Amino acid sequence: MHSRIHEIKEAAESAKDKKGTYGPDIDLSQYKKNATPHPYEEKLGSFGPEESDKLTAVGIDISQDQRSGTFLLKDQSVIHCRTKQDGLEVLSMKEALDRYQWLEEYWWKAVSVDADKYTAQAELSLNDGYFIRSYAFAKSLSPIQACLYMGVENLSQNVHNIIIAEEGSELHIITGCATAPYVLSGLHIGISEFYIKKGAKLTFTMIHNWGRDVMVRPRSAAIVEEEGIFLSNFACLHPVRSLQLYPVTRLVGQGAIARFHSILLATPGSDLDTGARVFLQAPQTRSEIITRAISTGGKIMARGHLIGEVPGIKAHLECMGLLLSEKGGIHAVPELEGKVGGVDMSHEAAVGKIAQEEVEYLMARGLSEEEATSTIVRGFLDVRIEGLPPSLQEELSRVIKQSEKALM
Amino acid sequence: MTLLEIKDLYVSINDKELLKGIDLTIDKGETHVLMGPNASGKTTLVLTLLGYPTYKITKGRILFRGEDLTEKDITQRAKLGIALAYQTPPEVRGVKLRDILIFIAAKSSGDSDKEEKATSFLQRVGLEPTSFLPRDINVGFSGGEKKRAELAQIFAMRPELMILDEPDSGVDIDSLRLIGREIRKVVEELKSGVLAITHHRHILQYLKSNLCHIIYDGKILVSGPPEEIVPSVEELGYEKYIKRLRLK
């Protein structure tokens, strides 16, 4: 095993200067490597009202009443970590690695450490991260929340998370990533490796809310076994300089399912390059990638790549883009790759302005032009996600509603 | 009392003249039927009345309760009490029938019982509220369901003038009976004026119509009692009917 750890380090070293495949290149040296440590908080209490609002805006419940566990990384320190329900486990990554020798089997297994300089930096300058696990056949009663927060200017935050839903378990996670209201720039690198075992279900809802000039490079991947379900939701509705992510999922067991929903808003100056890639490698696997994108002047690249490798799989890709400004733009890049006969793969993409016909129709019912437009935009973003617990659906709807002010 | 007065109305779209001198007056409580072949100007007239900006008035005026509508936009006209049941309403993805009904109900009857109102208007047109309130407007509705949803909305608006654009097209006999009766009830209750576009006599069994107009090539060729005009048109078809009219 030690040789593997050694190999990982070497691979990371070799990729230190390797540019990412997508998104603008980032000069990593311009960010602060170290932050002042923060003390552990038994009860979350150090956040001021404005910071608390920001956390609420990314789905974090500071009271923790509606959560079965909490993890909070502030800058580079784990300031809170607890589990409230038996059968679920929330640990800091460093503690988990100390505690469980076997965890090395999962470390950089789904994501390649030498993918690019961001994965390399996460390995070579790891701050911490979370380890969340549901034991076999455990069912999480309410979501576990994880928060990655940056409270100082121009910091580089390097995170590595591992999430394991053991056989037959059900796990719901809401992750909020945010900068403090006064922070404008920074770099967030987040590695997340998801392992969904036989018959397990994982819902992962991630909400981003960054400072205007922050650069974000999540690198995540999932492996879904037989009859496993992975439901991944992503909302990014606030300004960010550059966000680029393209998670990879492998459906390796028969009947495994992966569904991705992304809700994106690019304001002027924001550049979002997002997508999902799913390899359907076992019979009867299914996947769906759905994106709703709005540009009010920023740029959005909405990618999707479905690879059908065996007969009998079913996959669908959908991207709906709404342009609310003459500037910016939305570029949908749907890719379907059938490698054998007997695959059922489809895609649907539409990018355009709001249909004037719909606005006029609502006006004829007495709505003003602004009311009609905002009603349509709200409806466009109001995505009902099948299989998401109602509390998380509500949380997502609330987050979307809050961001509507920025839209109009 | 005069509700709607259209005087010598000329309307163009992209410099193409579509209405060429329309005169039409509807009094409060009156029902007028407008008939005419495709592309004769029916929809142009309706959408001009509604205030669609692509339809440019080049001459003439539209008065509603004596007030000139020219400068009023679609919303303002709706608020004045002009309501259209569209022939083929657009699908509005993401916006629930409930949202729009509640919006309308809140405007017309205040916040207190808007939820109840929304439900009752759907019931009136025979749409099951529990299944239709949460649905996106017109998405996946059958032809008949669209017509009923249109009526539910305009009934909720408590209109002074109801414009019904082919409320009977693509509707089965049972639906037609229900739609016809409900329209009549609303008209009797609110004393609304009605401008109904149709190609068939069936709906007229339910609407007590005062006058029927035949529109052709942007002009009203004839106005008269519906019981005389409608059967002739049905028998001869527009083309022959109009030819015969011109020979007279």
Side-chain angles (χ1 to χ4, degrees):
Chain A
M1 185 41 64
H2 281 291
S3 66
R4 182 160 183 263
I5 296 296
H6 183 70
E7 278 167 20
I8 286 171
K9 287 279 181 225
E10 271 191 349
E13 283 290 346
S14 73
K16 251 169 43 177
D17 300 311
K18 187 175 169 187
K19 287 183 181 174
T21 312
Y22 305 107
D25 187 46
I26 301 170
D27 174 11
L28 301 176
S29 68
Q30 65 176 320
Y31 297 96
K32 272 185 268 182
K33 278 227 173 325
N34 298 302
T36 314
H38 302 287
Y40 188 86
E41 297 177 19
E42 280 305 328
K43 194 167 182 290
L44 288 171
S46 65
F47 294 105
E50 282 186 2
E51 286 187 295
S52 299
D53 287 348
K54 194 86 186 259
L55 293 175
T56 309
V58 292
I60 302 302
D61 174 8
I62 293 175
S63 76
Q64 305 184 48
D65 292 344
Q66 306 299 318
R67 300 289 182 257
S68 56
T70 297
F71 172 86
L72 209 155
L73 183 78
K74 186 178 180 182
D75 299 331
Q76 297 170 342
S77 315
V78 177
I79 63 163
H80 194 81
C81 181
R82 77 191 261 234
T83 317
K84 281 163 67 179
Q85 190 193 323
D86 287 344
L88 306 180
E89 192 173 16
V90 184
L91 294 172
S92 81
M93 199 67 236
K94 285 184 171 170
E95 192 185 339
L97 284 170
D98 278 347
R99 194 181 292 189
Y100 300 124
Q101 191 69 47
W102 53 261
L103 196 49
E104 287 173 1
E105 291 293 327
Y106 294 83
W107 189 245
W108 294 113
K109 212 55 180 217
V111 176
S112 304
V113 66
D114 58 356
D116 54 30
K117 62 193 199 181
Y118 312 108
T119 52
Q121 169 147 316
E123 172 61 20
L124 299 171
S125 309
L126 177 71
N127 301 136
D128 212 324
Y130 54 78
F131 169 75
I132 298 178
R133 179 161 73 130
S134 50
Y135 296 161
F137 303 102
K139 299 256 187 295
S140 88
L141 301 172
S142 51
I144 290 176
Q145 59 183 357
C147 179
L148 307 170
Y149 187 78
M150 290 198 282
V152 289
E153 194 66 31
N154 212 42
L155 180 69
S156 150
Q157 188 183 52
N158 309 316
V159 177
H160 191 152
N161 312 309
I162 288 180
I163 297 97
I164 303 172
E166 297 285 4
E167 184 177 349
S169 67
E170 193 174 315
L171 179 58
H172 304 288
I173 299 174
I174 181 161
T175 288
C177 300
T179 41
Y182 46 83
V183 169
L184 288 179
S185 72
L187 166 68
H188 171 86
I189 296 174
I191 313 301
S192 297
E193 301 188 271
F194 301 92
Y195 300 93
I196 295 99
K197 302 293 181 68
K198 186 180 172 184
K201 177 179 178 180
L202 170 65
T203 79
F204 185 78
T205 302
M206 180 164 76
I207 300 165
H208 282 194
N209 190 333
W210 303 105
R212 197 190 63 200
D213 296 323
V214 174
M215 311 294 273
V216 186
R217 292 293 180 268
R219 294 289 177 262
S220 57
I223 295 171
V224 190
E225 296 180 6
E226 192 182 335
E227 302 293 331
I229 299 173
F230 180 38
L231 191 53
S232 176
N233 311 306
F234 176 48
C236 182
L237 301 162
H238 291 270
V240 57
R241 174 66 68 214
S242 162
L243 175 138
Q244 188 276 315
L245 54 81
Y246 204 0
V248 179
T249 297
R250 288 183 172 74
L251 302 178
V252 298
Q254 183 160 339
I257 296 172
R259 298 215 313 268
F260 289 83
H261 289 265
S262 299
I263 304 161
L264 311 169
L265 167 64
T267 51
S270 292
D271 180 343
L272 310 182
D273 186 331
T274 77
R277 176 176 279 147
V278 181
F279 290 88
L280 296 100
Q281 300 176 319
Q284 280 101 49
T285 50
R286 280 180 287 152
S287 184
E288 198 175 50
I289 300 169
I290 294 175
T291 305
R292 293 269 187 282
I294 294 183
S295 168
T296 57
K299 286 198 290 182
I300 296 176
M301 181 69 92
R303 302 178 193 277
H305 188 185
L306 292 161
I307 305 105
E309 301 189 352
V310 295
I313 62 98
K314 194 171 160 67
H316 181 68
L317 219 154
E318 185 184 309
C319 175
M320 297 293 161
L322 199 52
L323 295 163
L324 296 181
S325 162
E326 297 302 320
K327 299 207 177 77
I330 297 172
H331 185 164
V333 190
E335 288 183 70
L336 301 179
E337 199 179 331
K339 295 198 166 177
V340 289
V343 295
D344 177 358
M345 307 176 83
S346 57
H347 84 75
E348 191 185 343
V351 174
K353 291 180 180 176
I354 287 190
Q356 192 56 24
E357 174 192 43
E358 295 175 24
V359 174
E360 286 166 339
Y361 177 73
L362 295 181
M363 287 173 75
R365 304 297 187 224
L367 279 76
S368 69
E369 190 168 0
E370 294 71 39
E371 285 171 329
T373 306
S374 64
T375 302
I376 292 167
V377 171
R378 202 178 307 134
F380 179 84
L381 287 175
D382 184 22
V383 183
R384 297 281 124 189
I385 297 168
E386 193 194 322
L388 192 65
S391 68
L392 285 178
Q393 178 74 61
E394 272 170 38
E395 197 68 59
L396 205 52
S397 297
R398 187 185 58 76
V399 166
I400 291 165
K401 216 173 165 60
Q402 270 190 345
S403 65
E404 276 166 15
K405 285 175 229 124
L407 270 171
M408 296 310 149
Chain B
M1 186 195 132
T2 306
L3 187 64
L4 177 74
E5 205 177 355
I6 301 171
K7 289 182 180 173
D8 196 26
L9 186 71
Y10 284 75
V11 172
S12 294
I13 183 164
N14 301 326
D15 292 329
K16 190 174 188 285
E17 197 160 75
L18 298 174
L19 296 185
K20 304 163 183 175
I22 300 278
D23 286 288
L24 179 68
T25 301
I26 300 177
D27 284 352
K28 192 174 163 69
E30 275 186 356
T31 293
H32 290 225
V33 177
L34 185 67
M35 299 177 87
N38 296 331
S40 57
K42 301 187 299 291
T43 303
T44 301
L45 179 61
V46 164
L47 296 182
T48 304
L49 285 175
L50 262 273
Y52 272 59
T54 40
Y55 295 86
K56 303 267 182 278
I57 297 178
T58 53
K59 195 178 165 214
R61 295 210 296 169
I62 305 169
L63 301 174
F64 189 70
R65 289 185 309 197
E67 197 177 345
D68 195 324
L69 288 182
T70 314
E71 295 302 315
K72 304 239 182 284
D73 71 8
I74 302 176
T75 311
Q76 288 166 318
R77 294 182 198 203
K79 285 180 175 166
L80 281 175
I82 301 175
L84 166 66
Y86 286 71
Q87 186 195 346
T88 36
E91 295 183 350
V92 192
R93 223 164 266 279
V95 181
K96 312 287 175 220
L97 194 50
R98 182 180 174 280
D99 300 338
I100 189 76
L101 281 171
I102 289 215
F103 176 89
I104 298 167
K107 293 260 154 147
S108 61
S109 61
D111 277 336
S112 56
D113 53 355
K114 55 186 181 185
E115 191 84 46
E116 209 175 295
K117 277 265 155 65
T119 305
S120 75
F121 282 109
L122 278 187
Q123 279 165 338
R124 273 188 89 149
V125 297
L127 292 178
E128 174 53 47
T130 46
S131 76
F132 279 88
L133 284 172
R135 285 180 65 176
D136 289 359
I137 298 171
N138 301 321
V139 178
F141 287 23
S142 72
E145 287 166 350
K146 281 183 187 164
K147 299 285 179 195
R148 292 175 189 222
E150 285 297 293
L151 289 176
Q153 291 171 62
I154 70 164
F155 290 168
M157 290 169 76
R158 301 182 64 80
E160 304 242 2
L161 176 66
M162 276 199 275
I163 305 172
L164 310 170
D165 194 354
E166 300 194 21
D168 48 356
S169 65
V171 169
D172 65 33
I173 304 287
D174 296 335
S175 298
L176 187 68
R177 187 176 298 137
L178 179 115
I179 285 173
R181 284 179 181 163
E182 286 304 318
I183 294 171
R184 185 160 176 172
K185 267 196 235 167
V186 172
V187 170
E188 280 170 1
E189 182 198 336
L190 301 175
K191 305 281 178 288
S192 312
V194 176
L195 178 62
I197 296 172
T198 182
H199 295 293
H200 311 287
R201 77 174 98 182
H202 314 294
I203 187 86
L204 302 178
Q205 294 171 281
Y206 305 98
L207 307 177
K208 262 196 261 168
S209 47
N210 306 75
L211 211 52
C212 176
H213 312 273
I214 300 293
I215 185 171
Y216 184 76
D217 191 26
K219 288 183 276 258
I220 288 178
L221 291 187
V222 64
S223 301
E227 58 276 16
E228 287 175 19
I229 295 179
V230 181
S232 315
V233 170
E234 281 209 328
E235 190 199 325
L236 299 167
Y238 286 114
E239 208 128 304
K240 272 191 183 166
Y241 177 82
I242 288 160
K243 241 182 218 167
R244 204 172 274 191
L245 206 66
R246 285 185 163 156
L247 287 174
K248 274 183 192 171

